[in-house]
């Protein structure tokens, strides 16, 4: 049974006339007759009685008419869903992001995206760089937002912006007097409160220190905490230091709760991840555009209605 056969059957049943149904469907009478004959022959059921020059539904035909109408209604509904998905009028999009970018960079992008496409349901999960990359690699998220370096051959990386890393301490820390600090002095004079293994911030800090000839094992890590806020709270109230994004530290520095050390760290990149071999949905492609370009020029083209099921 084909969709065309259902359409032909309903058209003929509603008009009780083969030629008028053919005209409505823009088909030849022979094509309409052939479709009906094939349907009846295949299922060995007579759907019409030929009465005079017209066609009248049999008892079986009347029962089948309701089923055929219901089937076509479901097909039209499915067609509408595809059109809405293609036009970004509805849909779902799963996104993972690491803590810093999720808290300080991504929200404004997501709000602009929602304002443009309110029918798209955004699902955001927050983790560290490793968990974000794993989610994209496994297909649990279409897009991932991370800070720092990542080496995964299955993932495509797009540069978004750069983020300044800095070392901060509490105002009572011995190094908070504004003098320039060398890497050797920093390691020798303070312990560190850091994020967990797999955090982009921690990885970038350890990588930067390696550039100064200091291995990660040489750092006196006195505490490991799972969030930026917990790390900064611990540093403010104690005598340890930490490395953190400038965006994260900004309100703490402005209030005087933290002091930035005169110790330069290289910037790290905010990056957008997607899977190299997985198809990006239209919603994901639109969010990529919003992430890279502040204001996309136009909505994507709407799906053509040329394939619509006749009503």
């Amino acid at each position: 049974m084909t969709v065309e056969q259902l359409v032909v059957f309903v058209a003929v049943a509603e008009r009780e006339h083969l030629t008028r149904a053919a005209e409505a469907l823009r088909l030849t009478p022979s094509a309409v007759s052939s479709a009906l004959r094939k349907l009846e022959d295949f299922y060995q059921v007579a759907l019409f009685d030929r009465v005079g020059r017209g066609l009248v539904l049999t008892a079986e035909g009347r029962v089948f008419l309701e089923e055929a109408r219901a089937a076509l209604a479901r097909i039209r509904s499915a067609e509408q869903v595809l059109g809405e998905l293609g036009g970004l009028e509805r849909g779902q999009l799963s996104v993972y992001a690491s803590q810093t970018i999720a808290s300080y960079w991504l929200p404004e992008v997501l709000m602009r995206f929602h304002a443009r496409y309110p029918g798209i349901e955004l699902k955001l999960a927050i983790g560290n760089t490793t968990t974000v990359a794993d989610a994209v690699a496994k297909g649990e998220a279409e897009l991932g937002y991370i800070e720092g370096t990542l080496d995964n051959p299955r993932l495509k990386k797009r540069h978004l912006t750069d983020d300044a890393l800095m070392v901060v301490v509490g105002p009572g820390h011995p190094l908070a007097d504004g003098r320039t600090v060398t890497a050797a002095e920093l390691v020798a004079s303070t312990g560190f409160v850091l994020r967990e293994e797999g955090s982009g911030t921690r990885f970038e800090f350890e990588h930067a220190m390696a550039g100064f000839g200091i291995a990660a094992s040489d750092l006196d890590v006195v505490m490991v905490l799972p969030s930026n806020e917990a790390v900064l709270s611990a540093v403010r109230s104690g005598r340890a230091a930490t490395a953190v994004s400038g965006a994260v530290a900004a309100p703490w520095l402005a209030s005087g709760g933290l002091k930035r050390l005169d110790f330069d760290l290289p910037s790290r990149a905010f990056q957008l991840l997607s899977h190299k071999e997985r198809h990006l949905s239209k919603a994901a492609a639109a969010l990529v555009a919003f992430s890279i370009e502040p204001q996309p020029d136009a909505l994507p083209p709407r799906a053509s209605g040329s394939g619509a099921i006749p009503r």
Side-chain angles (χ1 to χ4, degrees):
M1 184 185 302
T2 66
V3 174
E4 181 183 14
Q5 287 173 332
L6 289 178
V7 170
V8 166
F9 168 73
V10 172
V12 173
E14 291 177 344
R15 292 164 180 81
E16 296 188 335
H17 199 281
L18 190 145
T19 301
R20 287 196 290 271
E23 291 173 350
L25 297 174
R26 298 183 179 180
L27 297 173
T28 64
S30 61
V32 171
S33 178
S34 175
L36 289 179
R37 185 171 60 254
K38 289 178 180 178
L39 191 61
E40 291 179 318
D41 289 348
F42 185 85
Y43 291 101
Q44 294 296 297
V45 174
L47 299 173
F48 294 96
D49 287 324
R50 279 68 179 174
V51 179
R53 300 181 64 179
L55 296 174
V56 179
L57 284 169
T58 63
E60 293 86 351
R62 287 193 295 272
V63 173
F64 182 60
L65 177 60
E66 296 306 312
E67 295 297 327
R69 283 171 170 163
L72 290 178
R74 289 295 300 161
I75 291 171
R76 293 188 188 103
S77 176
E79 182 185 47
Q80 181 180 359
V81 168
L82 279 180
E84 291 174 352
L85 290 171
L88 295 179
E89 296 175 22
R90 64 187 292 187
Q92 292 183 346
L93 179 56
S94 178
V95 175
Y96 271 58
S98 53
Q99 282 193 26
T100 301
I101 198 168
S103 299
Y104 297 92
W105 187 87
L106 188 57
E108 188 270 340
V109 174
L110 296 182
M111 288 302 294
R112 285 195 292 106
F113 180 86
H114 175 71
R116 187 68 172 273
Y117 305 114
I120 303 298
E121 180 185 357
L122 288 167
K123 296 184 176 181
L124 174 63
I126 298 175
N128 59 36
T129 293
T130 298
T131 58
V132 172
D134 286 345
V136 177
K138 294 175 182 177
E140 297 171 0
E142 282 199 74
L143 300 175
Y145 293 81
I146 64 166
E147 315 103 38
T149 304
L150 176 77
D151 184 18
N152 188 323
R154 292 181 294 172
L155 301 182
K156 179 178 180 179
K157 294 177 286 187
R158 296 175 175 88
H159 180 269
L160 297 173
T161 189
D162 291 317
D163 178 51
L165 274 182
M166 59 181 64
V167 177
V168 297
V169 295
H173 194 283
L175 297 178
D177 56 7
R179 70 180 186 271
T180 301
V181 181
T182 67
E185 289 173 328
L186 179 65
V187 174
S189 58
T190 188
F192 292 89
V193 178
L194 297 178
R195 288 278 308 281
E196 75 284 359
E197 295 283 351
S199 158
T201 299
R202 178 167 180 169
F203 176 86
E204 290 299 316
F205 175 58
E206 292 177 344
H207 181 72
M209 295 303 287
F212 295 115
I214 297 172
S217 58
D218 294 331
L219 301 174
D220 179 18
V221 181
V222 298
M223 190 175 297
V224 175
L225 294 172
S227 72
N228 293 323
E229 289 71 20
V231 167
L232 294 182
S233 293
V235 168
R236 181 183 62 175
S237 61
R239 299 177 62 83
T242 193
V244 70
S245 162
V248 175
W252 299 72
L253 296 173
S255 67
L258 293 174
K259 297 293 183 180
R260 178 181 181 177
L261 296 190
D262 186 6
F263 177 75
D264 289 334
L265 288 173
S267 297
R268 45 91 178 269
F270 284 175
Q271 298 189 88
L272 174 59
L273 304 180
S274 59
H275 200 289
K276 289 181 178 179
E277 298 177 345
R278 295 183 189 273
H279 167 76
L280 276 185
S281 68
K282 284 198 171 185
L287 183 54
V288 169
F290 264 75
S291 301
I292 297 174
E293 299 292 339
Q295 293 293 336
D297 291 333
L299 289 167
R302 295 294 303 276
S304 168
S306 59
I309 303 301
R311 295 182 179 274

